[in-house]
Amino acid sequence: MQFSKSTDYALHALIHLAQAEDRNNIGVKELSAILSVSESYLSKIMSKLRKDGIVRAVSGVKGGYELAKTAEEITFLEVIQAIEGRQQMFECSNLNSKQHQLLAELSNTEPKPKATDRDECLVKKVMDGAEQHLHQYLREHTIQFVLDQATKRCNYSINKK
Amino acid sequence: MQFSKSTDYALHALIHLAQAEDRNNIGVKELSAILSVSESYLSKIMSKLRKDGIVRAVSGVKGGYELAKTAEEITFLEVIQAIEGRQQMFECSNLNSKQHQLLAELSNTEPKPKATDRDECLVKKVMDGAEQHLHQYLREHTIQFVLDQATKRCNYSINKK
DNA sequence: ATATTATGGATATCTAATGTCCATAATAAA
DNA sequence: TTTATTATGGACATTAGATATCCATAATAT
């Protein structure tokens, strides 16, 4: 139950892009040097961020990446989901639960959800609750939040002198 | 970022043990049949639960497993940690952060923590916060909670008739 | 003594994460 | 237009961890 290294790299890369908001685009070459990752690996990560609309990319000589929205708008949750995908944290082996999920997926089409969730596994319900709880926290924390904290810390250092 | 199948099996096994609290010990043979898992695999899982003091085991003919505490006392968190281990959800590649953690571990001995955490990575701080948040939820939900929910559901069914 | 059950070591298999390489497309600058 | 630079995506290799099985041994009720 661990977040992947890729998620770690993605978050740190976004922090760097946010801090260099005024500058031109930043290429994978520069980012990979800062993060101490190989260019080829970081490329895959940045591609995922682009596909999910978190960064913009431009090819060519002065190309590279930049944020596609403000740092305020980029939540930890969407970064994590861009990298790790959107599968649920807990997949229940319980048959009732699996049937329930299957029905829910099928009902994405026409005949309405029906909300007969009395048969879903209660263990899964607790775990889904945990996931929602975690997501809420991750939605409330943005890239901007980290930048703000860094500023505070810096001020503190200055005052100290 | 998913919980393992083992965790799923462990939780369901504990629910069954809790529901059969009055009966004798329940063996892996019976549990594995209920959960549709192999005996050999479930054995490993039950061993982990025993090592962490969640269940008691007794060998021999009428042997098997029983809860080592009340269902009220068994939290989702401790079950998950018994199975998945206690590593942190987020390991930071950031060098400052790694150094910080190393120092923290070393200072487990004599010369006191020192609490100079100004250098720890802010990304990691957010992620550690998320983990604490999740843990709090998982600590607040026990095996007993699931049993209670099941009772409610059952009552509802009866009333319906 | 016998049958039954848990325990732990060794090992095999499978899957996902990690990581690299290369051909191709896009673009700025010369 | 040519060149250098950068992103993109496919294919592939490597590694680590989860999943799964088997077996020898210990414990225990009958």
Side-chain angles (χ1 to χ4, degrees), chain B residues 25-52:
Chain B
N25 292 333
I26 299 184
V28 161
K29 197 166 197 169
E30 183 176 343
L31 282 175
S32 70
I34 296 172
L35 302 183
S36 309
V37 208
S38 74
E39 292 178 42
S40 54
Y41 192 36
L42 189 58
S43 290
K44 302 297 183 188
I45 294 168
M46 298 310 293
S47 272
K48 287 186 179 177
L49 294 179
R50 188 190 60 82
K51 280 177 193 161
D52 274 35

Side-chain angles (χ1 to χ4, degrees), chain A residues 22-131:
Chain A
D22 48 337
R23 292 178 47 200
N24 287 329
N25 292 331
I26 300 184
V28 161
K29 197 166 197 170
E30 184 175 343
L31 282 174
S32 70
I34 296 171
L35 301 183
S36 309
V37 208
S38 74
E39 293 177 43
S40 54
Y41 192 36
L42 187 58
S43 289
K44 304 296 186 190
I45 294 167
M46 297 310 293
S47 272
K48 287 186 179 178
L49 293 180
R50 187 190 61 81
K51 281 177 193 161
D52 275 34
I54 295 171
V55 299
R56 256 192 302 270
V58 44
S59 289
V61 172
K62 285 281 185 176
Y65 291 96
E66 63 179 352
L67 299 189
K69 2 184 184 179
T70 67
E72 185 68 45
E73 290 167 322
I74 302 177
T75 69
F76 271 63
L77 180 60
E78 67 184 301
V79 176
I80 290 168
Q81 290 188 326
I83 303 300
E84 315 233 339
R86 283 163 176 77
Q87 348 88 25
Q88 295 193 304
M89 279 197 335
F90 188 77
E91 190 183 337
C92 190
S93 64
N94 183 286
L95 286 185
N96 277 347
S97 184
K98 281 194 177 175
Q99 288 177 351
H100 178 81
Q101 195 183 349
L102 193 60
L103 285 176
E105 281 168 10
L106 289 177
S107 67
N108 275 349
T109 52
E110 284 306 313
K112 287 186 178 179
K114 286 183 178 175
T116 309
D117 59 331
R118 288 203 306 108
D119 287 345
E120 194 184 0
C121 174
L122 291 169
V123 170
K124 177 151 178 57
K125 280 214 168 170
V126 171
M127 296 302 285
D128 284 351
E131 178 166 18

Side-chain angles (χ1 to χ4, degrees), chain A residues 120-151:
Chain A
E120 194 184 0
C121 174
L122 291 169
V123 170
K124 177 151 178 57
K125 280 214 168 170
V126 171
M127 296 302 285
D128 284 351
E131 178 166 18
Q132 286 313 309
H133 207 63
L134 176 65
H135 281 192
Q136 185 54 33
Y137 179 97
L138 293 171
R139 251 191 302 271
E140 286 165 358
H141 286 79
T142 64
I143 297 298
Q144 183 62 48
F145 175 83
V146 175
L147 297 187
D148 291 344
Q149 295 298 112
T151 305

Side-chain angles (χ1 to χ4, degrees), chain B residues 30-109:
Chain B
E30 183 176 343
L31 282 175
S32 70
I34 296 172
L35 302 183
S36 309
V37 208
S38 74
E39 292 178 42
S40 54
Y41 192 36
L42 189 58
S43 290
K44 302 297 183 188
I45 294 168
M46 298 310 293
S47 272
K48 287 186 179 177
L49 294 179
R50 188 190 60 82
K51 280 177 193 161
D52 274 35
I54 295 171
V55 299
R56 257 191 301 271
V58 45
S59 289
V61 172
K62 284 281 185 180
Y65 291 96
E66 63 180 352
L67 299 189
K69 2 183 184 179
T70 67
E72 186 67 46
E73 289 168 322
I74 303 177
T75 69
F76 271 63
L77 180 61
E78 67 184 302
V79 176
I80 291 168
Q81 290 188 326
I83 303 299
E84 315 232 341
R86 282 163 176 79
Q87 348 88 24
Q88 296 192 303
M89 279 197 333
F90 188 78
E91 190 182 338
C92 189
S93 63
N94 183 286
L95 286 184
N96 277 346
S97 184
K98 281 194 176 171
Q99 288 176 353
H100 178 81
Q101 195 183 349
L102 194 60
L103 286 175
E105 281 168 10
L106 289 176
S107 66
N108 275 348
T109 50

